[in-house]
Amino acid sequence: MKRLSIFLGGLLFVLSALPILGVWNGFGSGISEFFLGISIFLPVVFAIAGLLFSIFGSKGTWKVVLILLNTASVIFWGFVLFVAIFGFQNP
């Protein structure tokens, strides 16, 4: 069960990082539009769920790496959402 938790934490991190990686590579703008078309909050939800799964995973290097990556993803998407919601308002 704990190994499944680590696997799900990694999978959810990849899903949370996919929209930004698609934009940086140039070929994946369709991926970003798909995720953001569903909801602007979807990547941060994936990151939070990945963080929770990573916390409850088995001990070891993978657990620490996934916790750090998912935490960085939550912080990044939180900043992007903050800018998108409050930064682009009309004066």
Side-chain angles (χ1 to χ4, degrees):
M1 185 66 172
K2 291 191 177 213
R3 289 176 96 48
L4 178 66
S5 182
I6 291 292
F7 174 74
L8 288 175
L11 180 68
L12 288 169
F13 168 73
V14 169
L15 286 174
S16 72
L18 217 85
I20 197 68
L21 291 176
V23 170
W24 282 343
N25 288 331
F27 66 86
S29 64
I31 294 170
S32 298
E33 291 175 9
F34 174 73
F35 278 112
L36 299 177
I38 295 172
S39 174
I40 194 169
F41 299 104
L42 192 62
V44 79
V45 169
F46 283 151
I48 290 171
L51 180 63
L52 290 175
F53 276 114
S54 299
I55 288 172
F56 294 116
S58 60
K59 293 181 182 178
T61 307
W62 284 108
K63 178 179 180 175
V64 174
V65 168
L66 284 174
I67 287 173
L68 291 174
L69 286 175
N70 282 312
T71 302
S73 183
V74 168
I75 291 169
F76 173 77
W77 285 112
F79 177 73
V80 168
L81 284 175
F82 177 77
V83 169
I85 292 171
F86 297 112
F88 295 120
Q89 292 182 353
N90 292 331

